[in-house]
Amino acid sequence: MPFACLVAVRFLREGRFQTVLIAGGIAIGVAVIVFITALIGGLQASTIERTLGTQPHIVVRPPKELARPLRDDGAAVTLPNVQPRAQRLRSIDQWQTLQAELAAHPGVAALSPLVSGPGLAVRGEANESIALLGIEPERYLRIVDVAAKLVAGRFRVSATEAVIGVELADDLGARVGDKIRIETAGGRSETFTVAGIFDLGSRDLNQRYVYIGLRSAQTLLDLVGGVSQIDLKVKEIFSAEAIARDIAAATSLTADSWMTTNAQLLTALRAQSISTGIIRFFVALSVAFGIASVLVVSVVQRARDIGILRAMGTPRRRVMAVFLIQGGLLGLIGSSLGVAAGAGLALLFMRVTGGRLFTLEMEPSLFLGATALATLTGLAAATAPALRAARLDPVTVIRG
Amino acid sequence: MAEPLLQLEAVRKRYGQGELATEVLHGIDLRLDHGEFAALIGPSGSGKSTLLNLIGLLDRPSAGRILIQGRDTAALDEAALTALRGRILGFVFQFHYLIDAFSAEENVMMPLMAARGRPTPDMRRTAAELLAAVGLAGLEKRPANKLSGGQQQRVAIARALAANPPLVLADEPTGNLDTASADEVFALLRRFNAERGTAFLVVTHDPRLAARCDRIIRLVDGRIVEDRRVNQGS
C-alpha cells in the first residue's frame, strides 16, 4: 500500500468516532439520493408505461381537408369568414406503399394499419356509441398489447368476432360468447360474437373501444380497401416526436406522436425530474460540506502529525494525497453504506405498498453512479483541507 | 581536508518586518564535520531553536549561507529541501513526536516511506534492526502511544537513524525523561555515533550531558560565544 494510503487509512481508523459519524452522514445523503432516484425513476417509467400501454407512439392520418377560399384578384373586398369543411372519414392514399416506407424507417419498431370510425353497439334494449377499430390482430398487438389486458375470453377479432371493453360489456349486459350488433352511419350493420373483454385501465376506452377485423370495419365504415390511420411503435420512445416530424415532412400526412398528445404529462414529468435533480444536488452539496468540514477539523487535529511527516521528509504532494485519499475513502465507505441503505429503503417501500403502485427502478448503474459520485465529491471536498495540510509549516507545528 | 558536512556562513535570522523586526541570530559561522558529536547550549531565548530549525532546513535564513556537504541550500526549492532533509538529516525532539496511529516499526520506517512512497520488506528489516539496537526488540507492532516515555524516545532515535543520515539533530532529546532514562537515551546516541559515524548536534540545557559531548557550542543572544572541544578520545 502506498505510504499516503497507509497514513490516510490510519488517520481514519484512529479518528474512529469522527469517521463513523461522517460516513453515516454521507450514507444518509447517498441513501436519500438513491431512494429518491429509484422512486421517481420508477414512478415516471410506470406513468409512461401506463400511458403508452394503451396508445400507439405515433398515429399517421390523412391530412385535414381544408376549405379553399376562392379569391377574385380583381375584387376590392375579401370576405375573411371561411367556413371550415366538415371532415369525412378518408383513407390514406396509397397506404400499402406508405406502410412499406414507414416500416423501413430505422426508428420504427412496429406498425399496424387500421380503420377507425364511429358506430353504435346494440344489444336488446341497450345501444351505446362506440369507436370501431378494425385491425389486423397480430400486427396491432405489437403496438398495444390488448391481449395482455383481457379479463375474459380470448383476443380474437374477425368478420364475426369482436373484443370489447369491460364497461361496454357491462352497459350492454354482454358476456363472452354473447352476440352484439354493430351499426354504422349509412345503415350498415353486422352481428359479432363477443370473443374477449379487456380492461385498458381507462373508463373511457373501456366504454368505447370495440375491436373487429380490418375487413369488416372497412365494409361497415364504407372504406373498402382503405385504412384511416397507421399506428406506429418506435424503438426509443422519446424519439417519437422527431420521427413523427420526419414522417409528416416526408409524406404530407398528419403524424402525431404520443409526446404531442400527452404534452401535459411530459411537462409534469420534466418538472418532476428538475425538482428531484435540485433535491439531489443539494443533498450532494451538504454531503460535500460535511466531508470538507470534518477534514478541515482533522487537518487542525493532525497538525502535529503533519508537521512530523513533513519534517521526516514527506513531500507536500504526499501530505496532500493523504487528505485527498481520506476524502475519497470517506465518500466511498459512506456511499457504499448509503447505496445499501437506499436499496433497502426502496425494497421496504415496495413491500409496504405491496408492489401495487409501481416498481422502483434500481439499476446497477444507479448504485455505481451514486458511489462514484460520492467518492468524487469526497475527493473534491477534501481539496481545500488537503491544500491547507500541504501548506502547514512544519516549524510552527513542531515548535508549537 | 574533507568537505564539511555542514557549514554556516554569516547566517542571520530576522523575524517580523520594518520597525518591528527583531534579529534573533546575528551572523553565525559554524562548521560541523562528519562523525562529530556536538552539544549546542545556551539560555532560553538565545536562538538555539531558531538555529536548529535553520540547520534542519525547516526554515530559511534571512542572510548568509547554509551549505550541506558543500551544497548551498538557498538555491533549492521546497520540494528539493524536503528531499534533502529526508536524506541528510534525522530529527530527535524533546517530545518524541511519534505518530500515534502508527506502530513502533512504522514510525521508524516513516522517513524511508516518506521518501520512497511505499513500504518495502527492506524498510521493515531496517526498522527491526534499529529497534533491536535501541533495545526494543519484540515491540515492533506496538502502537506508539502504548509505549513508555523512554521507549517512545528510543523509537524516535531509531526513526532519526532509519534513513542512515550523516547528521542527526536532537533537540533536548532527554528533556522529558527521568535521569535513568535520559542516561540510557544519551548513551544510545553516543553508541550510534561511535558505531555508525553519524554526526550529532544535541541541543541541551543539561550541563551534565553537554559535558559528555566532544564539542560544546555556546549560544548567547544570537551569537556563538564559545566553541570548544572537550574530553576528546573518551
Side-chain angles (χ1 to χ4, degrees):
Chain A
M1 195 194 295
F3 182 53
C5 281
L6 185 74
V7 177
V9 171
R10 288 300 167 80
F11 280 5
L12 286 178
R13 215 197 290 167
E14 215 204 12
R16 212 166 290 131
F17 190 55
Q18 266 176 8
T19 306
V20 168
L21 277 186
I22 189 59
I26 297 165
I28 291 170
V30 171
V32 167
I33 290 177
V34 165
F35 178 67
I36 203 168
T37 308
L39 184 75
I40 298 301
L43 179 65
Q44 298 199 338
S46 113
T47 309
I48 290 172
E49 196 216 284
R50 270 178 215 209
T51 309
L52 295 186
T54 57
Q55 54 177 258
H57 297 167
I58 298 174
V59 178
V60 179
R61 289 195 188 87
K64 281 224 189 299
E65 291 185 286
L66 297 175
R68 260 162 301 193
L70 293 172
R71 285 205 177 84
D72 184 350
D73 284 345
V77 180
T78 324
L79 291 177
N81 190 2
V82 178
Q83 173 90 42
R85 280 184 68 166
Q87 304 291 322
R88 67 198 158 102
L89 191 63
R90 287 186 305 151
S91 174
I92 296 175
D93 269 345
Q94 311 278 332
W95 68 269
Q96 266 103 344
T97 323
L98 174 71
Q99 175 180 280
E101 281 169 15
L102 293 178
H105 191 291
V108 173
L111 58 82
S112 166
L114 64 146
V115 175
S116 82
L120 278 179
V122 181
R123 183 167 184 265
E125 301 285 295
N127 60 75
E128 298 287 333
S129 95
I130 57 165
L132 202 55
L133 294 146
I135 56 169
E136 292 179 345
E138 296 81 35
R139 303 180 72 178
Y140 186 77
L141 287 180
R142 263 183 269 153
I143 310 276
V144 178
D145 193 4
V146 187
K149 289 167 176 137
L150 285 183
V151 293
R154 283 200 272 163
F155 192 85
R156 282 218 309 261
V157 298
S158 63
T160 55
E161 287 173 306
V163 175
I164 65 175
V166 279
E167 310 283 340
L168 183 63
D170 202 31
D171 290 345
L172 296 175
R175 281 182 292 188
V176 173
D178 288 349
K179 292 204 185 314
I180 57 170
R181 203 170 80 248
I182 289 173
E183 300 177 353
T184 55
R188 280 174 285 268
S189 83
E190 202 77 61
T191 303
F192 291 87
T193 308
V194 176
I197 297 174
F198 61 78
D199 179 2
L200 287 177
S202 152
R203 197 182 172 81
D204 187 46
L205 301 185
N206 289 345
Q207 210 154 26
R208 296 192 314 113
Y209 274 20
V210 172
Y211 291 105
I212 59 173
L214 181 64
R215 269 168 209 287
S216 310
Q218 284 170 336
T219 314
L220 278 169
L221 294 168
D222 194 19
L223 211 66
V224 175
V227 299
S228 61
Q229 67 184 62
I230 296 178
D231 284 2
L232 300 182
K233 183 176 188 159
V234 295
K235 286 170 185 156
E236 169 51 50
I237 57 169
F238 287 100
S239 67
E241 179 60 28
I243 295 175
R245 279 199 201 131
D246 278 2
I247 294 170
T251 61
S252 81
L253 296 168
T254 331
D256 291 322
S257 76
W258 71 274
M259 295 163 82
T260 326
T261 30
N262 300 280
Q264 277 191 325
L265 172 76
L266 272 184
T267 312
L269 291 183
R270 216 163 278 147
Q272 203 177 41
S273 298
I274 291 171
S275 57
T276 45
I278 291 173
I279 294 174
R280 285 195 301 214
F281 173 74
F282 282 106
V283 171
L285 199 64
S286 71
V287 165
F289 279 143
I291 297 174
S293 73
V294 161
L295 288 178
V296 165
V297 172
S298 161
V299 168
V300 175
Q301 288 174 332
R302 297 281 175 200
R304 197 191 72 131
D305 290 347
I306 296 166
I308 299 168
L309 287 171
R310 296 274 291 122
M312 297 298 142
T314 309
R316 283 202 165 139
R317 62 187 157 78
R318 213 160 270 155
V319 170
M320 204 173 143
V322 168
F323 283 84
L324 287 178
I325 291 167
Q326 285 190 74
L329 276 178
L330 281 172
L332 187 65
I333 296 166
S335 60
S336 305
L337 295 173
V339 159
L345 212 58
L347 290 175
L348 189 72
F349 177 86
M350 285 200 275
R351 174 162 300 180
V352 168
T353 60
R356 287 187 308 277
L357 293 175
F358 51 84
T359 315
L360 271 64
E361 257 191 1
M362 290 194 285
E363 308 267 327
S365 65
L366 168 63
F367 299 148
L368 292 177
T371 311
L373 194 74
T375 308
L376 287 177
T377 305
L379 277 177
T383 312
L387 281 170
R388 271 184 74 158
R391 275 200 293 262
L392 270 185
D393 185 356
V395 178
T396 50
V397 170
I398 288 180
R399 301 287 157 185
Chain B
M1 193 174 184
E3 189 155 56
L5 173 58
L6 169 81
Q7 195 155 19
L8 273 65
E9 294 176 354
V11 165
R12 292 173 180 273
K13 182 68 187 175
R14 256 189 309 278
Y15 288 107
Q17 302 240 313
E19 292 184 11
L20 293 175
T22 43
E23 195 168 80
V24 182
L25 297 175
H26 318 287
I28 302 286
D29 293 297
L30 182 67
R31 177 198 163 117
L32 210 63
D33 287 312
H34 284 277
E36 279 205 84
F37 199 105
L40 179 63
I41 59 171
S44 24
S46 58
K48 297 193 302 289
S49 293
T50 306
L51 183 58
L52 208 63
N53 287 347
L54 293 177
I55 295 173
L57 305 179
L58 294 167
D59 207 350
R60 288 177 190 267
S62 309
R65 296 204 303 162
I66 298 177
L67 295 99
I68 301 244
Q69 292 179 329
R71 200 161 154 212
D72 191 349
T73 55
L76 301 175
D77 66 4
E78 170 60 35
L81 276 186
T82 305
L84 187 65
R85 187 159 64 224
R87 206 172 64 246
I88 302 289
L89 297 165
F91 291 89
V92 181
F93 305 101
Q94 175 175 9
F95 304 102
H96 56 79
Y97 283 134
L98 300 181
I99 291 185
D100 290 341
F102 283 155
S103 67
E105 181 187 55
E106 287 162 338
N107 267 291
V108 175
M109 289 159 71
M110 200 193 313
L112 300 172
M113 294 193 287
R116 262 176 273 165
R118 60 175 68 236
T120 64
D122 272 359
M123 296 182 191
R124 228 167 267 284
R125 205 159 34 243
T126 306
E129 283 168 18
L130 281 167
L131 283 172
V134 298
L136 293 178
L139 297 180
E140 289 88 354
K141 302 294 176 199
R142 187 169 291 191
N145 54 3
K146 298 266 160 47
L147 297 168
S148 74
Q151 289 173 329
Q152 286 174 330
Q153 197 58 302
R154 282 192 260 168
V155 173
I157 291 167
R159 179 181 62 185
L161 292 158
N164 205 14
L167 174 60
V168 170
L169 303 176
D171 189 2
E172 304 275 4
T174 58
N176 217 24
L177 301 175
D178 59 68
T179 316
S181 304
D183 283 346
E184 274 174 32
V185 163
F186 194 82
L188 261 178
L189 300 184
R190 288 254 43 159
R191 208 182 87 211
F192 281 120
N193 174 247
E195 285 176 2
R196 295 171 163 239
T198 311
F200 281 84
L201 182 62
V202 184
V203 172
T204 181
H205 271 113
D206 189 344
R208 210 172 47 90
L209 289 184
R212 286 159 68 185
C213 297
D214 301 337
R215 176 179 170 190
I216 296 177
I217 303 159
R218 186 188 300 276
L219 200 65
V220 176
D221 291 336
R223 287 193 176 83
I224 292 176
V225 297
E226 183 188 359
D227 186 351
R228 67 188 166 92
R229 305 203 173 255
V230 285
N231 54 334
Q232 283 288 24
S234 71

